[in-house]
Amino acid sequence: MTKFAAQVVDITKFYDLGPVVVKALRGVSIDFPQGDFVAIMGSSGSGKSTLLNLLGALDRPTSGKYIIGGQDVSVMSDDELSEVRNGLIGFIFQSYNLIPQYTVVENIEVPLHYRKGYPSIGAKEKKRIEDLAGMVGLGQRLDHRPFQLSGGQQQRVAIARALVNDPQIILADEPTGNLDSATEQEIMEMLLALNREGRTIIMVTHEPAVAKLAKRQIYMKDGVIAGEGIFPG
């Protein structure tokens, strides 16, 4: 039996702007099997970013269901949504979203501070942070701040941060958008390695060469899934 990391069932998202209602998603259904690697593509206004926000529990659908970890996210309270975001989902952003005054270690540990009950960070957590920094090639830069790092190194910090809570799903929003081609390849190799380890990755990208590295490509247009290509993983 196929195990699903997440399932979206007939999701809609409408924004009421007074005289105009923007229908960003118009009934999207898609399954994400455990260990999937999906690239979501589409022009501006196609709905891909709205879908990613819903998958990240950053927004609520107007109708439909979003199931992750066996739970229907669409009916959760704000506190429950926060727990899902922090426990089951890791985020990687195009602009890295690092805290400028924090070191590499401090940026990686940020999600740990949002755990339920706000437990202190002990020796076990500190070792995990250092191990993750080493995994992304920054073991010698633990005390560096973002301005002391290249764009690729900052994205490596973001990847380590996304992994610190051992999430079920990694959501990547244009993770190579601000990088040169050589660094883009390095970051994609890192994401592919994580996927080979069994991580489920859902990535928005506008770059076909990047999208082709994923197992599946989803094409969105006018708030619906317009097509899908399946490539060997």
Side-chain angles (χ1 to χ4, degrees):
M1 180 180 295
T2 301
K3 290 186 177 181
F4 294 104
Q7 296 173 283
V8 170
V9 183
D10 200 23
I11 285 285
T12 69
K13 182 62 182 180
F14 300 162
Y15 296 97
D16 189 346
L17 304 180
V20 177
V21 175
V22 176
K23 297 182 178 181
L25 295 176
R26 302 168 180 254
V28 173
S29 296
I30 183 171
D31 295 332
F32 299 99
Q34 187 68 45
D36 206 357
F37 190 166
V38 180
I40 302 175
M41 302 187 73
S43 60
S44 178
S46 63
K48 62 184 186 300
S49 294
T50 301
L51 177 59
L52 199 70
N53 284 339
L54 291 174
L55 291 172
L58 298 170
D59 201 355
R60 297 175 183 273
T62 302
S63 64
K65 291 184 178 182
Y66 170 34
I67 300 168
I68 180 173
Q71 307 171 78
D72 185 356
V73 175
S74 54
V75 297
M76 287 184 177
S77 67
D78 289 343
D79 287 345
E80 289 170 332
L81 279 177
S82 181
E83 287 185 34
V84 165
R85 279 194 301 271
N86 200 49
L88 298 180
I89 302 168
F91 297 89
I92 303 171
F93 303 95
Q94 177 179 356
S95 56
Y96 323 131
N97 283 20
L98 303 181
I99 299 174
Q101 63 269 34
Y102 281 13
T103 64
V104 167
V105 165
E106 290 167 338
N107 268 289
I108 294 173
E109 75 180 23
V110 164
L112 297 176
H113 292 286
Y114 292 93
R115 293 174 298 174
K116 189 174 182 179
Y118 305 100
S120 61
I121 295 175
K124 180 181 178 182
E125 288 83 3
K126 288 179 180 178
K127 184 179 186 304
R128 175 164 177 76
I129 290 165
E130 291 183 5
D131 287 346
L132 285 170
M135 184 198 78
V136 299
L138 295 174
Q140 304 302 314
R141 296 179 177 269
L142 301 180
D143 294 327
H144 283 58
R145 289 176 169 75
F147 74 89
Q148 297 172 300
L149 303 173
S150 68
Q153 289 169 333
Q154 291 185 60
Q155 194 61 293
R156 288 168 181 266
V157 177
I159 290 172
R161 180 185 57 194
L163 294 172
V164 73
N165 274 336
D166 195 24
Q168 181 172 320
I169 296 175
I170 296 173
L171 299 181
D173 188 4
E174 300 281 7
T176 62
N178 286 339
L179 305 175
D180 60 64
S181 57
T183 309
E184 171 187 290
Q185 183 176 348
E186 292 176 3
I187 295 300
M188 286 307 300
E189 287 174 354
M190 194 170 295
L191 293 178
L192 288 165
L194 290 170
N195 181 243
R196 287 193 292 270
E197 293 173 2
R199 304 276 182 180
T200 302
I201 300 176
I202 304 172
M203 172 181 67
V204 162
T205 182
H206 67 276
E207 302 171 71
V210 170
K212 286 180 180 179
L213 295 174
K215 292 178 178 177
R216 292 196 291 158
Q217 293 74 37
I218 303 297
Y219 299 92
M220 296 195 67
K221 183 177 181 180
D222 297 331
V224 299
I225 294 175
E228 178 175 347
I230 301 176
F231 289 71

